[in-house]
Structure formats: C-alpha cells, structure tokens
Amino acid sequence: MKTIKTQILLRTACVLFTLLSGITNAQDSETAKSTERSGFIFEFTIGGGLISLEDSAGIQTFDTSQGTFVFPDLKFGYMINERLAVTASTPGNIYEFQDNDRHFGGFIPSVQYWVKDRWWIHGGIGLAIDSPALYDIKDDVNDDWNFGCAVMASTGYEIYKKNNFALNVQSKLVLGRSSLDGDAHRDALIFNVGLGFSWL
C-alpha cells in the first residue's frame, strides 16, 4: 500500500510538472523580447504545495502527504549571458511532525536557462536542511537540525515583464534526504506551485 501511494504521488507531481512545461513550451517563438537580462538576479516565491516525508525509523511514512506553504523560497544569481544564470536557491516548506512545526528545505547551487524568451528551466543539487520552524523551537523537543543532500528541478513562465522586473508562474520538485541521530534518515518529496517575483 505504501509503495502504491508513493507511486501515485510521484506520478501526479510529474504530470503536473510536465503539464506546466508543455503549456509554456507552446508560446509563440516570435514573441518580442522585452527584458534585458544581465548582472545579478533576485527572486522570491509565494505559493503552496504538497510535502511527503518518511523516516527510516518508521515514525512517519510516505502514506500521508501534507498540504504546505512555501517558506522561504529565495533565489540569488548572476547572468552569464542573456539565457543562462548561475544561481543559489533556498527552497523550503513547513510541515508538521509530532505536534511541532518543522521546515524541510535546502541550499542548492543551480543553473537557470531560458529556453524561450519567457519560459525557463532551473535545477541543481546541494544541501538538504531539516530544522525546526523558527517560530516553533522548543528546547529538547523540537531543536534538532539535520543535514543531507537534495536535488531540485523547476520550470516557470513569465506572465508579466516590465523593465528589469518579471512575474512568473512556476512549479518545483525537490527530493531530499537528511541524516538523523542513530544512523537513521528522513526522506522528503516536495511539489510546489507558486508566483515568483524576479528582478533581473
């Protein structure tokens, strides 16, 4: 049962991710360029999604997914040319674990490439961070910080551009594993949809 539910979650996330990519790919290739991309870039994203977690100790399994909001989700970077940027991203989601709020996210070196004038793809691999939510830290109860590895892939479409500002609709997949005490680990699968506010 656990395997079936995990497969359904993964397939649903992949279908939604592919659908957004397909829609953005259908844009007119002759759309006039309205943004000059150069120098540093900054973006923050608001939105929501799903997170599913599983501990090797069996405390929490992929059987149950949680609705969650995006926090924080920041991106910093530098344009190598008009289509390619080197970035550092901090995807993250709040989740509930044993009546405490926690945060699963990461610090991910990544690259972003504009396939067309308004459609971009973005991905990378880096540090997974599983920590207490900053507003819900309790001594000896919810104060453990765990680290590991995470991979991220996202795509977005800029629905509004003016000067060096762009507003985009985006989806993101993050898969991470953090190491816990006692040689245990926690896996997380995150799927988000949100609005990105970018300065290029």
Side-chain angles (χ1 to χ4, degrees):
M1 179 65 74
K2 177 175 70 173
T3 302
I4 293 173
K5 289 185 177 181
T6 301
Q7 290 176 352
I8 291 172
L9 176 65
L10 284 169
R11 288 178 183 167
T12 302
C14 289
V15 167
L16 291 173
F17 190 80
T18 303
L19 179 62
L20 181 57
S21 296
I23 291 171
T24 57
N25 191 31
Q27 71 168 323
D28 183 0
S29 61
E30 297 181 2
T31 302
K33 292 176 66 177
S34 58
T35 303
E36 294 294 327
R37 301 184 191 96
S38 63
F40 291 97
I41 66 172
F42 170 74
E43 178 181 286
F44 72 89
T45 303
I46 58 174
L50 296 172
I51 184 171
S52 186
L53 299 111
E54 182 167 285
D55 289 311
S56 60
I59 299 173
Q60 188 161 344
T61 72
F62 274 134
D63 287 343
T64 303
S65 296
Q66 300 179 32
T68 182
F69 61 94
V70 175
F71 178 80
D73 200 329
L74 303 174
K75 183 193 303 177
F76 306 89
Y78 188 81
M79 298 299 305
I80 302 300
N81 56 48
E82 280 202 355
R83 288 187 176 269
L84 180 65
V86 176
T87 64
S89 299
T90 60
N93 291 67
I94 301 294
Y95 69 95
E96 184 179 342
F97 179 71
Q98 296 183 334
D99 298 323
N100 295 299
D101 285 347
R102 292 187 59 82
H103 171 268
F104 198 102
F107 179 80
I108 302 181
S110 46
V111 293
Q112 182 166 326
Y113 181 75
W114 278 259
V115 179
K116 295 189 176 180
D117 183 45
R118 291 177 180 260
W119 173 41
W120 50 259
I121 55 176
H122 182 224
I125 183 169
L127 179 68
I129 304 171
D130 176 41
S131 64
L134 297 180
Y135 58 83
D136 195 19
I137 297 177
K138 301 170 185 174
D139 290 340
D140 299 323
V141 176
N142 189 37
D143 61 353
D144 55 316
W145 289 68
N146 310 303
F147 301 93
C149 183
V151 293
M152 175 197 70
S154 66
T155 185
Y157 183 78
E158 296 169 350
I159 57 176
Y160 175 79
K161 298 196 301 182
K162 185 173 182 181
N163 299 326
N164 65 338
F165 173 77
L167 175 65
N168 65 70
V169 177
Q170 61 180 263
S171 64
K172 181 175 297 179
L173 279 171
V174 179
L175 179 62
R177 170 174 284 189
S178 62
S179 298
L180 308 177
D181 291 338
D183 294 325
H185 61 264
R186 177 173 295 144
D187 295 325
L189 173 64
I190 299 170
F191 175 73
N192 290 334
V193 176
L195 285 175
F197 299 82
S198 301
W199 285 265
L200 307 170

